[in-house]
Coordinates of all heavy atoms in Angstrom, one line a residue:
G20 N 128.9 28.3 -43.1 CA 129.7 27.3 -43.8 C 129.9 26.1 -43.0 O 129.6 26.0 -41.8
D21 N 130.5 25.1 -43.7 CA 130.9 23.8 -43.1 C 129.7 23.1 -42.4 O 129.8 22.4 -41.4 CB 132.0 24.0 -42.0 CG 133.2 24.7 -42.6 OD1 133.5 24.5 -43.7 OD2 133.8 25.5 -41.8
E22 N 128.5 23.2 -43.1 CA 127.3 22.6 -42.6 C 127.3 21.1 -42.9 O 126.5 20.3 -42.4 CB 126.1 23.2 -43.1 CG 125.9 24.7 -42.7 CD 126.5 25.7 -43.7 OE1 127.3 25.2 -44.6 OE2 126.3 26.9 -43.6
K24 N 127.8 20.4 -46.6 CA 127.3 20.5 -48.0 C 127.9 19.4 -48.9 O 127.2 18.8 -49.7 CB 127.6 21.8 -48.6 CG 126.9 23.0 -47.8 CD 127.4 24.3 -48.4 CE 128.8 24.7 -48.1 NZ 129.1 24.9 -46.7
A47 N 136.5 27.2 -49.9 CA 135.6 26.1 -49.5 C 136.4 24.8 -49.3 O 137.5 24.6 -49.9 CB 134.6 25.8 -50.6
G48 N 135.9 24.0 -48.3 CA 136.5 22.7 -48.1 C 135.3 21.8 -47.9 O 134.6 21.9 -46.9
H49 N 134.9 21.0 -48.9 CA 133.7 20.2 -48.8 C 134.2 18.7 -48.7 O 134.8 18.1 -49.6 CB 132.9 20.3 -50.1 CG 132.3 21.7 -50.3 ND1 131.6 22.1 -51.3 CD2 132.4 22.8 -49.4 CE1 131.2 23.4 -51.1 NE2 131.7 23.8 -50.0
S50 N 133.9 18.1 -47.5 CA 134.3 16.8 -47.2 C 133.3 15.7 -47.5 O 132.1 15.9 -47.3 CB 134.7 16.6 -45.7 OG 135.3 17.8 -45.2
A307 N 138.4 22.4 -42.9 CA 138.8 21.5 -43.9 C 139.8 22.1 -44.9 O 140.5 21.5 -45.6 CB 137.6 21.0 -44.7
T308 N 139.9 23.5 -44.9 CA 140.8 24.2 -45.8 C 142.0 24.7 -45.1 O 143.1 24.6 -45.6 CB 140.0 25.4 -46.5 OG1 139.0 24.8 -47.3 CG2 140.9 26.2 -47.3
R313 N 137.4 25.5 -35.3 CA 136.1 26.3 -35.6 C 135.5 26.7 -34.3 O 135.5 26.0 -33.3 CB 135.1 25.4 -36.3 CG 135.6 25.1 -37.7 CD 134.6 24.1 -38.4 NE 135.1 23.7 -39.8 CZ 134.8 22.6 -40.3 NH1 134.1 21.7 -39.7 NH2 135.3 22.3 -41.6
Ligands
LIG529 MG1 133.8 23.3 -45.4

Side-chain angles (χ1 to χ4, degrees):
D21 304 327
E22 297 90 350
K24 298 176 291 294
H49 294 177
S50 321
T308 294
R313 294 174 182 152

